[in-house]
Every structure is written in structure tokens, then in C-alpha cells.
């Protein structure tokens, strides 16, 4: 079958699937303390519906699947879905992004079900600062979850993702960089993007990858850049002495849209061709109205032909995405 290619010639290889909009954290750069209005149970795609869409996408060459949220581990029986997706023909790479607080209990069943890679969000190794940014006193539970994940060599790489916010993250950088040296985790710093539900984001809040690298290089000397695959969102580095790997995801200061191979599926079955889409394509309705795989394929091709060239965060008149991060899933 012909691959899924957008109007700019980019082939879609990766789908990020939000399995719930709910989360058990309240990160200040993501959602308000009181949370958001959650989707109703019937609005959310079932495991069977997700697996069906993944099967159709895999036949179009979309062989990388990442599960996200909200917080995906709060969706009941998630290992069952992981098992269904890892058994789907054409799915080559299956990963998950989590805040890690339930990982110590779920790492084993997820690995046994076929999970291959893991991204854990972690913005501070200081208990007080961690609670300040997540509004949860849960650092120890997240670190326990990471330790539990370490026990499964088949679950690699383990990436630790830190959202970098100016005026907060600078003091967290040295300890997180050190974590990459002493643990088998790839520590990545992600620039803060205008996807917060409070709509408080301002470009002055962005601590750039370049600024973070300068903080690290001030104490560790120049980092050595590593090769990365063309569609990778991160620039990869290691320390000069070889210990540890760091990543810098710089969507604001160094956009990587030209090689974007990603689409997203929201928990309520809407296809987003870009993180910053202002338009969505409803897949749930045709799914529930009995559309054939051929009809779904046609709809996917049509949507991808309309995939945005790039985000316009740095452009005058930038208009925010139609949903916040927790309603899209990273
Ligand atoms: S902003 Fe949109 S086009 Fe750019 S990399 Fe992200 S998803 Fe792709």
C-alpha cells in the first residue's frame, strides 16, 4: 500500500495516541490546580477502536506507536491495550510517555505485554521543587517507578523528560544532568511550548536548549553531539568522558517541523496532524458508524494531505492550538 505522505513530501511513520485526558498530576505548565473538564467514558475510544485504527495506520507504514495521556497509566487495564498493539501486524516500535507515579506497579505487566520504550516526565530531583511544579508530593514514587523500569533490559531506552521553564529549571539542570551520568536514563530537556491550559505561556518563559547546554558545559566542559535519525525531535549529546546521554528538544528555538513524521490521535478519536493544529479530523464517528478500513484509509490520506507545514510559534499573530497539552498528549 502506498505510504501516508503529506503535501510537503513528509512520510508519516509515527502516531501518538492519547488514551485518556485525565491526569493524577497538576503540573503548573500544563493545567490548573483544579484540573479540567474531563471527557465522558463514552466519548473515549475503546481499546478495540484504538487497535483497529493502529492496524489501518500500520498498513500505511505508520509503524511507530506512542501511548500518551493525560496520564496513560491511569487508564484501567492499559497492559491489555499494549498487548493488542504489540500483536498488531506492522507495529515495529511501541512506547509510552508517563509521569511515572504508577510505574513501580505497572512496569512488569507493560513489559510482558510488549512495551519497548519509555519516556518518564521528571522536572526536578528536589522534593520541594517537584511538589511545587507538579502540585503533588510524589518524587519518591516516580524514582521508584524508574528503578523498577530499569530492571527490564528489554525496555530501552528509558528517557527522562524535563520541561524547561525559565526561572524554574535553571537550578534543576545540574542534578538532572548528573542523573544521566549515574543512571541508564537518557535525560532530555524540552522547551516549554504554548500548550498550557492556563494560556499563560510567554516566549520569555522559554529556557532554550542552548541555554541549558551552556549551564551543563560550564561544569562539565563541551558536550559531544551524537548522530540522530532525521525525524528525531531531539539533538543528542554525551559527556566528553563518555558517561551518560542528554537530549535537547528545541521546538521553539530550533524547530524541527521540516522532518516531522508524526500525527496524533486524541482520546476522543480526533486526528491531529500537528501538535498545534487548529483543525481536527473526526475518526470516532465513522468508526462507530461502521466505516470500512478502505474508508478510514481514505479519510487518513485526506487529513494528512492537509498536514500543517510547521508550527508558527515564532510568527507574528501566532494562534494557539485548539487544545491544551493534556488534551492532546505530547
Ligand atoms: S509542531 Fe507540528 S509540524 Fe512541527 S514538529 Fe510538531 S507536530 Fe510536527
Amino acid at each position: 500500500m502506498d505510504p501516508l505522505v503529506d503535501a510537503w513530501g513528509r512520510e508519516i511513520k509515527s502516531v501518538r495516541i492519547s488514551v485518556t485526558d485525565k491526569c493524577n498530576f497538576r503540573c503548573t505548565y500544563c493545567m490548573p490546580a483544579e484540573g479540567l473538564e474531563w471527557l465522558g467514558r463514552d466519548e473515549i475510544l475503546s481499546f478495540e477502536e484504538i487497535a483497529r485504527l493502529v492496524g489501518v495506520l500500520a498498513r500505511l507504514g505508520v509503524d511507530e506507536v506512542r501511548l500518551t495521556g493525560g496520564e496513560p497509566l491511569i487508564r484501567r487495564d492499559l497492559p491489555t491495550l499494549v498487548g493488542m498493539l504489540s500483536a498488531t501486524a506492522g507495529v515495529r516500535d511501541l512506547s509510552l510517555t508517563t509521569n511515572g507515579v504508577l510505574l513501580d506497579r505497572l512496569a512488569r505487566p507493560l513489559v510482558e505485554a510488549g512495551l519497548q520504550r519509555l519516556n518518564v516526565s521528571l522536572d526536578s530531583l528536589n522534593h520541594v521543587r517537584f511538589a511545587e511544579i507538579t502540585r503533588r508530593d510524589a518524587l519518591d514514587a516516580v524514582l521508584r517507578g524508574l528503578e523498577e523500569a530499569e530492571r527490564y533490559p528489554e525496555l530501552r531506552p528509558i528517557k527522562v523528560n524535563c520541561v524547561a521553564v525559565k526561572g524554574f529549571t535553571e537550578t534543576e539542570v545540574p542534578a538532572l544532568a548528573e542523573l544521566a551520568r549515574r543512571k541508564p536514563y537518557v535525560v532530555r530537556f524540552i522547551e516549554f511550548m504554548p500548550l498550557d491550559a492556563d494560556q499563560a505561556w510567554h516566549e520569555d518563559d522559554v529556557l532554550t536548549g542552548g541555554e541549558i547546554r551552556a549551564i551543563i558545559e560550564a561544569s562539565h566542559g563541551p558536550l559531544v553531539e551524537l548522530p540522530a535519525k532525521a525525524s528525531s525531535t531531539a539533538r543528542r549529546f554525551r559527556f566528553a568522558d563518555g558517561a551518560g546521554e542528554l537530549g535537547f528538544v528545541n521546538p521553539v528555538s530550533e524547530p524541527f517541523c521540516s522532518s516531522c513524521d508524526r500525527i496524533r490521535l486524541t482520546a476522543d478519536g480526533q486526528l491531529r496532524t500537528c501538535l498545534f493544529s487548529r483543525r481536527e479530523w473526526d475518526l470516532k464517528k465513522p468508526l462507530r458508524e461502521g466505516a470500512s478500513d478502505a474508508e478510514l484509509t481514505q479519510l487518513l490520506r485526506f487529513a494528512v494531505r492537509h498536514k500543517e507545514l510547521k508550527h508558527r510559534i515564532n510568527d507574528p499573530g501566532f494562534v494557539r492550538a485548539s487544545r491544551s497539552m493534556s488534551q492532546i498528549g505530547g
Side-chain angles (χ1 to χ4, degrees):
M1 205 180 279
D2 289 343
L4 206 47
V5 179
D6 71 12
W8 319 97
R10 297 172 298 191
E11 184 179 345
I12 306 302
K13 299 296 294 174
S14 169
V15 60
R16 298 186 178 184
I17 300 175
S18 169
V19 297
T20 179
D21 60 330
K22 293 192 180 91
C23 187
N24 46 10
F25 278 13
R26 295 288 180 273
C27 300
T28 53
Y29 54 76
C30 180
M31 68 167 85
E34 66 277 11
L36 297 169
E37 197 181 323
W38 310 124
L39 292 167
R41 193 185 172 82
D42 298 342
E43 296 177 278
I44 289 189
L45 293 186
S46 67
F47 287 174
E48 289 71 22
E49 289 169 329
I50 294 172
R52 168 121 188 261
L53 288 173
V54 166
V56 171
L57 284 165
R59 286 191 287 282
L60 293 166
V62 182
D63 58 8
E64 263 184 51
V65 176
R66 181 180 303 169
L67 300 178
T68 68
E71 168 47 40
L73 296 186
I74 65 176
R75 175 106 188 230
R76 197 180 302 159
D77 300 328
L78 193 74
T80 303
L81 176 63
V82 169
M84 293 163 75
L85 300 182
S86 67
T88 300
V91 173
R92 177 188 54 77
D93 181 276
L94 187 54
S95 64
L96 175 107
T97 298
T98 171
N99 64 24
V101 76
L102 299 174
L103 200 50
D104 59 345
R105 185 163 57 79
L106 289 166
R108 176 190 285 272
L110 289 166
V111 169
E112 287 170 354
L115 191 70
Q116 297 163 295
R117 296 192 292 126
L118 190 65
N119 289 14
V120 177
S121 309
L122 182 60
D123 304 314
S124 175
L125 290 170
N126 173 289
H127 287 83
V128 175
R129 306 277 285 171
F130 180 95
E132 192 186 317
I133 202 153
T134 64
R135 299 188 181 106
R136 296 287 184 271
D137 182 13
L139 177 57
D140 291 336
V142 173
L143 295 176
R144 273 199 309 277
L146 278 165
E147 299 238 335
E148 174 63 12
E150 268 182 63
R151 298 180 53 224
Y152 308 99
E154 61 271 51
L155 186 64
R156 292 294 187 276
I158 297 173
K159 296 178 182 172
V160 167
N161 289 347
C162 165
V163 174
V165 181
K166 191 160 270 181
F168 180 89
T169 305
E170 292 91 334
T171 52
E172 311 310 311
V173 169
L176 286 163
E178 207 48 48
L179 184 71
R181 295 177 59 80
R182 58 183 174 81
K183 282 285 189 180
Y185 313 149
V186 176
V187 173
R188 309 192 313 165
F189 298 94
I190 304 177
E191 291 177 349
F192 180 28
M193 289 180 275
L195 290 163
D196 53 318
D198 292 334
Q199 306 214 352
W201 179 94
H202 187 275
E203 59 187 350
D204 296 344
D205 302 325
V206 176
L207 181 65
T208 69
E211 289 169 320
I212 298 169
R213 218 175 116 201
I215 294 171
I216 297 170
E217 291 186 334
S219 56
H220 289 280
L223 298 174
V224 179
E225 185 147 19
L226 298 168
K229 70 174 186 167
S231 64
S232 172
T233 58
R235 291 182 63 186
R236 303 171 58 217
F237 292 81
R238 66 168 174 74
F239 292 89
D241 64 2
E245 181 180 331
L246 297 169
F248 299 92
V249 181
N250 307 331
V252 181
S253 66
E254 295 177 336
F256 35 78
C257 302
S258 59
S259 60
C260 180
D261 67 349
R262 293 169 291 282
I263 54 177
R264 290 172 168 84
L265 182 63
T266 65
D268 57 343
Q270 308 305 302
L271 184 76
R272 296 179 63 85
T273 48
C274 171
L275 192 50
F276 292 91
S277 288
R278 302 220 15 97
R279 174 173 53 187
E280 297 180 339
W281 310 85
D282 186 0
L283 296 179
K284 182 172 63 189
K285 192 161 176 290
L287 256 178
R288 293 185 176 178
E289 290 179 351
S292 67
D293 286 1
E295 286 162 336
L296 292 171
T297 299
Q298 207 179 1
L299 182 48
L300 288 164
R301 285 197 191 285
F302 185 81
V304 164
R305 271 202 299 282
H306 293 80
K307 176 177 168 68
E308 299 80 348
L309 172 60
K310 61 175 193 156
H311 69 61
R312 298 190 179 278
I313 298 170
N314 302 315
D315 296 2
F318 164 68
V319 181
R320 300 178 68 106
S322 51
R323 290 184 190 226
S324 66
M325 179 62 99
S326 69
Q327 298 165 322
I328 301 170

